[in-house]
Amino acid sequence: MLSLLRPYPSPLASRHGIDLDFPLLAGCLLLLGLGLVMVTSASSEVAAAQSGNPLYFMYRHLVYLAIGFVSCGVVMLIPMATWQRFGFPLLIIAFLLLVAVLVPGIGREVNGSLRWIGFGIFNVQPSEIAKVFVVLYLAGYLVRRQHEVRHTWAGFFKPFIVLLPMAMLLLREPDFGATVVMMGAAGAMLFLGGVGLFRFLMMVALAVLAVFVLVQTQSYRMQRLITFTDPWADQFGSGYQLTQALIAFGRGGWTGLGLGNSIQKQFYLPEAHTDFLFAVLAEELGLIGAMATVGLFLFVCVRGLFIGHWAEQSKQFFSAYVAYGLSMLWIGQFLINIGVNVGLLPTKGLTLPFLSYGGSSLVICCVSMGLLLRIEWERRTLVDTEDVEFTEEDFADVR
């Protein structure tokens, strides 16, 4: 496959050599580097107890990073027109993966949830793949049905024929957090695709009602909702994880205890290197380090939105909607994870993009980065713009 893609220009083989969007690339690499450091620090005690090697999770994280970088490079070689052409088959693959994870013997249960498919020593989380494939499919739909989406109710409701069954599969795992992130990104894409404000607000109202019903139908969700409002009422029971995270924030103060000096990671805070990595980061780097991390992540997300805006101005509408969707996935997952860590939201099993330990999340973040870098490059080189036609002169050497 790579041999077929080499003759075509790409950000890795353009007339200017390697031609990447440096601000986005630098921001993502800084987050990935910070994530490696914090995963190593936050997991050292648990790794030593489980495997006898305090760097066990660091080595695995490095393997995931290597896979992620290779995947990112491959994605940058593939034209966005190819992704648009295969949007529906990718959606079918997403459905099959979400069904497969619920099949006994295929899906792996961890902490009461069937969210992973085992491949030897690695686990693949289908929900992470499905979120990106949904963005690619929905972006193609918005391009094909642009007038219908903007002016008719049918065009507005048709995507939910696909989204609702997928959301139901995610809830069966159960993975309420991934469902909220996926549906939120889809709603944002529809709004940015031209859906009227009245229909968008109606969708928001229906989403809030659906969340209320889902919380009422499962007792553990209601318990989480009650717990997060006052975790100290049962600090050694249902509120234990949140109270330990809040203690980590309190210990950190302004400047932190210093890298590697976290106390909460020493078997006080569960999932310190995954869901609650930000709490350990705040304990070791302090409020200043935590706010710098938030600022860096916001920069990456805003850069992604600007890439979508620039692509839309260049009439590359599919690329624009993909950039919007991927950025919204990052923003949604980031806000939920931070909200959980600081006690503003009920506890959810969502990793922090680019930072937390987790192979599927890390690789998909790198794939998303590759897509955004490809979109930004195509926008600058006017690839797949409906008003511009390529000629051989576009690739001629510039004196």
Side-chain angles (χ1 to χ4, degrees):
M1 179 179 178
L2 292 178
S3 61
L4 296 176
L5 294 172
R6 284 196 193 100
Y8 298 97
S10 74
L12 300 179
S14 69
R15 60 183 179 180
H16 302 296
I18 298 178
D19 186 14
L20 301 174
D21 180 54
F22 178 77
L24 177 66
L25 179 64
C28 291
L29 290 180
L30 285 173
L31 286 172
L32 290 171
L34 178 62
L36 176 62
V37 172
M38 292 311 306
V39 165
T40 303
S41 175
S43 66
S44 59
E45 300 295 333
V46 175
Q50 293 183 357
S51 65
N53 182 3
L55 301 180
Y56 172 76
F57 288 108
M58 186 202 76
Y59 292 145
R60 290 178 65 91
H61 197 79
L62 283 171
V63 172
Y64 296 143
L65 274 176
I67 296 173
F69 286 145
V70 172
S71 302
C72 177
V74 172
V75 165
M76 282 191 284
L77 297 176
I78 302 175
M80 294 307 298
T82 303
W83 293 109
Q84 184 176 1
R85 191 178 308 119
F86 289 97
F88 184 73
L90 292 175
L91 182 71
I92 298 300
I93 293 173
F95 266 109
L96 293 176
L97 288 173
L98 291 178
V99 171
V101 77
L102 299 175
V103 177
I106 297 179
R108 284 188 177 181
E109 184 174 346
V110 179
N111 295 330
S113 298
L114 278 168
R115 299 181 185 177
W116 294 269
I117 297 176
F119 291 93
I121 61 174
F122 297 106
N123 292 328
V124 175
Q125 193 170 355
S127 60
E128 295 290 339
I129 302 173
K131 286 185 290 188
V132 174
F133 285 0
V134 164
V135 166
L136 292 169
Y137 171 77
L138 188 56
Y141 173 83
L142 291 172
V143 172
R144 293 190 307 272
R145 305 285 184 177
Q146 191 173 71
H147 183 273
E148 190 177 353
V149 169
R150 293 182 176 182
H151 299 96
T152 67
W153 286 93
F156 171 69
F157 281 115
K158 282 180 181 178
F160 292 97
I161 299 176
V162 172
L163 293 173
L164 290 179
M166 187 165 288
M168 292 175 63
L169 290 173
L170 287 171
L171 290 173
R172 287 289 303 275
E173 294 182 5
D175 196 345
F176 186 69
T179 306
V180 172
V181 170
M182 184 190 72
M183 297 299 286
M189 290 177 68
L190 287 170
F191 179 70
L192 294 171
V195 170
L197 183 60
F198 173 74
R199 282 177 286 168
F200 178 75
L201 292 176
M202 189 190 71
M203 178 185 65
V204 172
L206 290 175
V208 172
L209 178 62
V211 169
F212 176 78
V213 172
L214 289 172
V215 169
Q216 294 290 332
T217 55
Q218 294 290 338
S219 59
Y220 80 92
R221 293 190 185 119
M222 178 57 69
Q223 183 60 42
R224 283 185 177 181
L225 186 63
I226 296 173
T227 299
F228 108 91
T229 57
D230 186 12
W232 302 100
D234 189 14
Q235 60 177 308
F236 298 109
S238 58
Y240 178 78
Q241 199 168 25
L242 179 53
T243 55
Q244 295 303 314
L246 294 176
I247 291 172
F249 281 96
R251 289 184 187 275
W254 285 95
T255 58
L257 301 177
L259 189 62
N261 293 328
S262 169
I263 297 175
Q264 294 304 106
K265 71 180 181 182
Q266 299 178 14
F267 306 103
Y268 292 101
L269 178 60
E271 308 297 337
H273 59 298
T274 55
D275 301 346
F276 283 85
L277 182 72
F278 190 74
V280 177
L281 184 150
E283 185 182 6
E284 295 188 349
L285 303 183
L287 179 63
I288 295 175
M291 293 306 297
T293 303
V294 171
L296 181 58
F297 199 90
L298 288 177
F299 168 77
V300 168
C301 293
V302 171
R303 185 71 180 182
L305 292 174
F306 268 106
I307 288 174
H309 175 65
W310 295 330
E312 190 171 9
Q313 287 182 326
S314 300
K315 299 186 184 299
Q316 298 172 332
F317 297 110
F318 174 76
S319 296
Y321 297 141
V322 171
Y324 291 147
L326 295 177
S327 300
M328 288 300 174
L329 286 178
W330 288 350
I331 292 171
Q333 196 159 332
F334 172 76
L335 290 178
I336 290 177
N337 182 277
I338 298 297
V340 168
N341 274 252
V342 300
L344 293 177
L345 293 173
T347 303
K348 290 286 148 214
L350 280 178
T351 56
L352 189 59
F354 292 104
L355 295 174
S356 294
Y357 174 82
S360 297
S361 175
L362 193 63
V363 172
I364 291 300
C365 283
C366 291
V367 168
S368 301
M369 176 179 67
L371 285 169
L372 287 171
L373 290 172
R374 175 78 196 194
I375 291 169
E376 196 277 336
W377 178 81
E378 286 192 2
R379 190 271 308 177
R380 284 188 288 109
T381 55
L382 302 178
V383 176
D384 290 338
T385 304
E386 62 182 28
D387 291 345
V388 178
E389 183 178 356
F390 252 150
T391 66
E392 293 183 359
E393 295 179 359
D394 292 322
F395 300 100
D397 291 335
V398 179
R399 292 186 181 274

